[in-house]
Amino acid sequence: QGLKPIVTTESPAPVFGTTTKLASDLPATDSFLGKNKVPDLQKFFQKPDGLPVHLKRGVPDRLLYRTTMALTIGGTIYCLVALYMASQPRNQ
C-alpha cells in the first residue's frame, strides 16, 4: 500500500479560454504616455528649502491646507456642540 500522494500531479484545466497578451506583444503606441515628469518632480520636492512637502507648490497648496484645517476645526466644533446638545435632557 504505502503512501500515496494526496494532490494530483496533473496541471489544472485553464480557467479562461483565452490566453493573456504580454506587454511585448502589444503595439508600441507611446503617443498617449507623454513625457515622464517624475524625475523633475523628484528634484523639485527634494530641494532643501525648508518647506514641508505639502506646501512646496505655493499658493494652491496653502489654500488647500488652510481649507482642510478650517473644515477639520469646524467639524470638531460641530461635533462637540452636537454632543453637548445630545447630553442635555429634553424639556417637556
Side-chain angles (χ1 to χ4, degrees), residues 6-7 18 20 23 25 27-29 31 35 41 46-47 51-52 54 56-59 61 65 70 74 77 91:
I6 297 173
V7 180
T18 61
T20 58
D25 296 340
T29 55
S31 62
K35 183 180 179 285
L41 290 174
Q46 292 176 355
K47 201 175 355 172
L51 285 174
H54 62 276
K56 288 237 184 205
R57 287 196 177 178
V59 175
D61 281 350
Y65 177 75
I77 292 170
N91 294 335

Side-chain angles (χ1 to χ4, degrees), residues 16 18 20 37 49 54 63 65 70 79 81 86 88-89 92:
F16 300 105
T18 61
T20 58
K37 298 178 185 178
D49 55 3
H54 62 276
L63 183 65
Y65 177 75
C79 287
V81 169
Q88 300 299 317
Q92 293 184 8

Side-chain angles (χ1 to χ4, degrees), residues 4-86:
K4 294 182 181 180
I6 297 173
V7 180
T8 61
T9 57
E10 298 174 8
S11 63
V15 177
F16 300 105
T18 61
T19 60
T20 58
K21 293 183 180 180
L22 300 176
S24 60
D25 296 340
L26 297 176
T29 55
D30 294 335
S31 62
F32 65 92
L33 293 177
K35 183 180 179 285
N36 186 8
K37 298 178 185 178
V38 172
D40 298 332
L41 290 174
Q42 284 176 338
K43 288 177 189 174
F44 178 74
F45 283 112
Q46 292 176 355
K47 201 175 355 172
D49 55 3
L51 285 174
V53 173
H54 62 276
L55 296 177
K56 288 237 184 205
R57 287 196 177 178
V59 175
D61 281 350
R62 274 192 229 114
L63 183 65
L64 286 171
Y65 177 75
R66 289 179 182 167
T67 303
T68 303
M69 288 299 111
L71 288 171
T72 303
I73 292 169
T76 303
I77 292 170
Y78 178 78
C79 287
L80 291 174
V81 169
L83 282 172
Y84 175 76
M85 290 174 59

